[in-house]
Amino acid sequence: MKLTNEQLERYSRNIILFGGKGQKKLLAGKVLVIGAGGLGAPAALYLAAAGVGTIGIVDYDVVDLSNLQRQIIHSTASVGQRKVDSASHTLEGLNPDVHVVTYNEWVNSQTLPQIIDDQHYDFIIDATDNFPAKFLINDACVLGGHPFSHAGIIRFGGQTLTYVPGKGPCYRCIFDTMPPAGAVPSCKEAGILGAVGGVIGCIQATEAIKYLLGQGELLTGALLTYDALTMRFRKIPVGHNPHCAICGDDPSIHELIDYKQPVCESKVGKGSL
Amino acid sequence: MNIDNTIDITDVVCPVTYVKVKVELEDMEPGQVLSVRLNSGDALQNVPRSLKNDGHRVFDVTDNEDGTYTILVERGQDD
């Protein structure tokens, strides 16, 4: 595959950094973004802009007016549309090199492995807004051996962590199980500053791009937290937990679990941040 | 002097000038020579400097006396 003149121009700033070889890795790369919301919107936009060749988008929600304060992949004109369609339209307009694959469904123990296998995604971005999905994605990635980026945002802050099989902790190493219902407010109850999703979502996209390039150090072995009000980032070192229920020495979880918990925000009850 | 490959970047402007040369060199072997035809001005100023930063060697510059120059670049080792 030879880069066209148009590609040399479109990706010129990338190629100066990591060469045509690096750009070809991105164009051959496949990233799955689960949730086209506050995190998934900026993440998917930057992946598409960078020329990641295949981007999968999973969401079962429709665009609501209250989403637009942070979900910048959607527009006023797309209110009422399926989020996957709105997102796909925006990404294809941004960069026609990108093949966008949409999954208008919610992830569960049945659908998630099928979606990951559908395009044999190289890297997965957890851009969901609820704990059942977060544990499900973690477990599917650990059991399937897929690298992924976890993130969560609420109010003025967020956190993110990258899991690569065999390197450092998984999400469950740190957060061993679901918080009790009601213990953690949803973003509908608590609020979220849209730009916080931008900061954390962009970090997730950066991790995916670094993974595809094989360049730099990933956020494995540490949880990065962000507080917008104090403008403080903390990189908290976290090791692999030998007692982890899924990736520890004697794991008790061998298959995916469909946890039940009311999810955030959505009128159809299946939201993304 | 053995020239292994040639490229004309007079039809593009910075930074695509350098990008085209960089991509061309990627497909060559260390030690091979690339002849680059470029415009005077920005390209002549910037491309040789960027090539040096990337570890390549610019060892000849010829004024073609038509507003363009031809530089000879020896491809450097990979990092």
Side-chain angles (χ1 to χ4, degrees):
Chain A
M1 179 184 72
K2 203 167 163 66
L3 295 166
T4 65
N5 279 346
E6 196 182 310
Q7 288 176 320
L8 292 175
E9 186 169 350
R10 176 185 287 272
Y11 306 120
S12 57
R13 274 37 169 207
N14 282 356
I15 294 168
I16 291 167
L17 291 178
F18 40 74
K21 283 182 181 161
Q23 188 61 49
K24 287 176 189 172
K25 287 182 189 171
L26 296 189
L27 288 164
K30 299 174 181 179
V31 178
L32 181 66
V33 180
I34 306 176
L39 290 164
L45 282 167
Y46 274 103
L47 293 173
V52 171
T54 303
I55 300 175
I57 305 278
V58 191
D59 208 304
Y60 188 58
D61 210 349
V62 295
V63 181
D64 187 86
L65 189 59
S66 67
N67 298 153
L68 300 183
Q69 160 262 15
R70 62 197 179 285
Q71 301 180 12
I72 58 172
I73 203 168
H74 311 299
S75 67
T76 306
S78 57
V79 169
Q81 288 178 15
R82 306 195 305 188
K83 282 189 176 176
V84 290
D85 295 337
S86 165
S88 163
H89 179 77
T90 305
L91 297 179
E92 283 165 354
L94 175 60
N95 187 352
D97 280 351
V98 178
H99 175 220
V100 183
V101 185
T102 59
Y103 306 90
N104 185 48
E105 51 193 306
W106 194 233
V107 290
N108 59 40
S109 61
Q110 299 302 308
T111 58
L112 182 55
Q114 292 168 7
I115 291 170
I116 294 171
D117 286 349
D118 178 50
Q119 298 285 326
H120 303 288
Y121 288 100
D122 301 307
F123 193 91
I124 293 159
I125 289 181
D126 171 6
T128 64
D129 67 347
N130 64 88
F131 290 105
K134 296 203 176 299
F135 281 97
L136 179 76
I137 292 165
N138 179 75
D139 294 356
C141 289
V142 171
L143 293 175
H146 308 290
F148 81 102
S149 166
H150 151 82
I153 50 173
I154 195 162
R155 300 193 182 104
F156 292 97
Q159 64 178 36
T160 180
L161 158 90
T162 301
Y163 169 78
V164 175
K167 292 181 185 167
C170 75
Y171 178 63
R172 214 182 255 283
C173 285
I174 305 169
F175 305 101
D176 60 342
T177 191
M178 293 265 294
V184 179
S186 71
C187 73
K188 185 179 179 183
E189 296 157 346
I192 172 69
L193 184 70
V196 167
V199 170
I200 302 294
C202 287
I203 290 173
Q204 293 189 282
T206 308
E207 290 289 280
I209 288 168
K210 282 159 56 190
Y211 179 82
L212 293 175
L213 290 172
Q215 196 170 347
E217 294 168 24
L218 293 166
L219 191 54
T220 52
L223 182 72
L224 183 72
T225 66
Y226 170 56
D227 180 344
L229 287 180
T230 56
M231 201 43 81
R232 193 169 290 152
F233 283 91
R234 288 177 68 204
K235 192 172 175 184
I236 305 163
V238 193
H240 169 252
N241 176 2
H243 304 296
C244 176
I246 189 146
C247 74
D249 298 338
D250 185 19
S252 56
I253 298 172
H254 303 285
E255 54 189 35
L256 300 181
I257 305 163
D258 287 308
Y259 291 107
K260 295 270 186 289
Q261 183 172 301
V263 298
C264 173
E265 165 76 14
S266 165
K267 288 177 180 171
V268 296
K270 285 159 182 169
S272 52
L273 266 177
Chain B
M1 168 48 59
N2 205 21
I3 292 170
D4 299 287
N5 194 3
T6 63
I7 183 173
D8 186 330
I9 55 168
T10 57
D11 58 337
V12 288
V13 296
C14 293
V16 181
T17 43
Y18 168 60
V19 165
K20 290 192 98 160
V21 178
K22 185 178 168 92
V23 169
E24 203 68 32
L25 285 166
E26 278 179 11
D27 294 331
M28 296 169 59
E29 299 297 322
Q32 286 191 317
V33 173
L34 175 67
S35 167
V36 183
R37 181 167 174 261
L38 42 68
N39 290 319
S40 60
D42 280 354
L44 184 62
Q45 242 175 25
N46 298 332
V47 171
R49 187 172 52 207
S50 300
L51 287 168
K52 283 174 202 163
N53 287 342
D54 258 12
H56 305 296
R57 190 170 72 92
V58 179
F59 62 91
D60 191 70
V61 181
T62 308
D63 185 349
N64 298 323
E65 296 181 349
D66 60 354
T68 71
Y69 283 75
T70 297
I71 62 171
L72 297 181
V73 189
E74 183 187 316
R75 189 199 190 282
Q77 299 290 325
D78 289 317
D79 294 335

